[in-house]
Each structure stands twice: as C-alpha cells, then as structure tokens.
C-alpha cells in the first residue's frame, strides 16, 4: 500500500508564491514519474508539471516560467514551487506518483489566488 500526502495549499494574493509538497510512503520499490495536476470545478484534471526519477521535467504552457517542479528521491517527495500566481491558477492541485503498474493520487490541495 502506498500513500501520498500533500501539504502547502492555501490563499495568496495575485503575484504571490506558494510551495506544494507531496510525500509518498509505504511499499515503494520503484518510483517513476511524479507530478501535479489541477482541477477546476466541474472540469477534468489538467497536467501542471511532471518530473521523472532522473529529473527530466515537463510543464503545461500556462505555468512555464512561473512554476518549478523538483523532487527529493531519498525522501520520495515532490515539490511544486509556484511563483507569480494568477487568479486563474485557483484550483485543486493533485499530486500523483507512478509506481508501475499503478498510479497513486494524493487527496488534493486547494490553491486560491485572489485578485
């Protein structure tokens, strides 16, 4: 059994910063890609950023240059540093971890950016 626990969401003014963390625990033998999706009310989850075990990253165009994803493999933890936040970044952010053949999801963290 694998658990993902997110932390770091909250309320921030436009232009501000937040940092999300997501720690995986449990029976972890091979942790591949980790990353973040976000979900607007009534919409499907959208990719925000991913990072492989080797450190290769991929970002949605809407967050490039503002968000930075990183990970600490020793701690099985992934981070999302969000800078220059905009009201349209307001969403629930979900961390995921790919442990083949499964994908695990965290509980979600609300990020609210006020204008």
């Amino acid at each position: 059994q694998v658990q993902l626990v997110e932390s770091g969401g909250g309320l921030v003014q436009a232009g501000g910063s937040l940092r999300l963390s997501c720690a995986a625990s449990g029976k972890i033998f091979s942790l591949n890609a980790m990353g973040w999706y976000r979900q607007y009310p009534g919409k499907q989850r959208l990719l925000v950023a991913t990072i492989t075990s080797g450190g290769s990253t991929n970002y949605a165009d809407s967050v490039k240059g503002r968000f930075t994803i990183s990970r600490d493999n020793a701690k099985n933890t992934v981070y999302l540093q969000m800078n220059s936040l905009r009201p349209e970044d307001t969403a629930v952010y979900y961390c995921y971890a790919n442990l083949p053949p499964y994908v695990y999801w965290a509980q979600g963290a609300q990020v609210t950016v006020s204008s």
Side-chain angles (χ1 to χ4, degrees):
Q1 189 73 13
V2 175
Q3 298 82 37
L4 296 180
V5 177
E6 284 189 55
S7 60
L11 173 64
V12 65
Q13 287 189 333
S17 299
L18 283 174
R19 188 190 194 211
L20 301 179
S21 300
C22 177
S25 63
K27 295 183 178 180
I28 299 172
F29 301 107
S30 178
L31 186 56
N32 286 3
M34 299 182 75
W36 302 86
Y37 279 66
R38 64 187 178 188
Q39 188 170 24
Y40 302 108
K43 303 293 186 181
Q44 290 186 331
R45 293 182 189 181
L46 301 172
L47 176 69
V48 176
T50 63
I51 185 167
T52 68
S53 57
S56 297
T57 60
N58 184 46
Y59 296 92
D61 288 343
S62 58
V63 306
K64 283 181 181 176
R66 301 188 298 122
F67 291 11
T68 302
I69 189 170
S70 61
R71 67 190 281 173
D72 184 334
N73 289 330
K75 296 181 179 180
N76 293 322
T77 300
V78 63
Y79 307 94
L80 186 67
Q81 178 65 44
M82 303 183 290
N83 298 329
S84 301
L85 282 161
R86 304 167 180 168
E88 55 264 37
D89 294 318
T90 296
V92 178
Y93 286 70
Y94 293 92
C95 165
Y96 80 92
N98 181 19
L99 289 87
Y102 304 108
V103 177
Y104 295 89
W105 293 91
Q107 77 279 13
Q110 176 69 46
V111 171
T112 302
V113 184
S114 63
S115 58

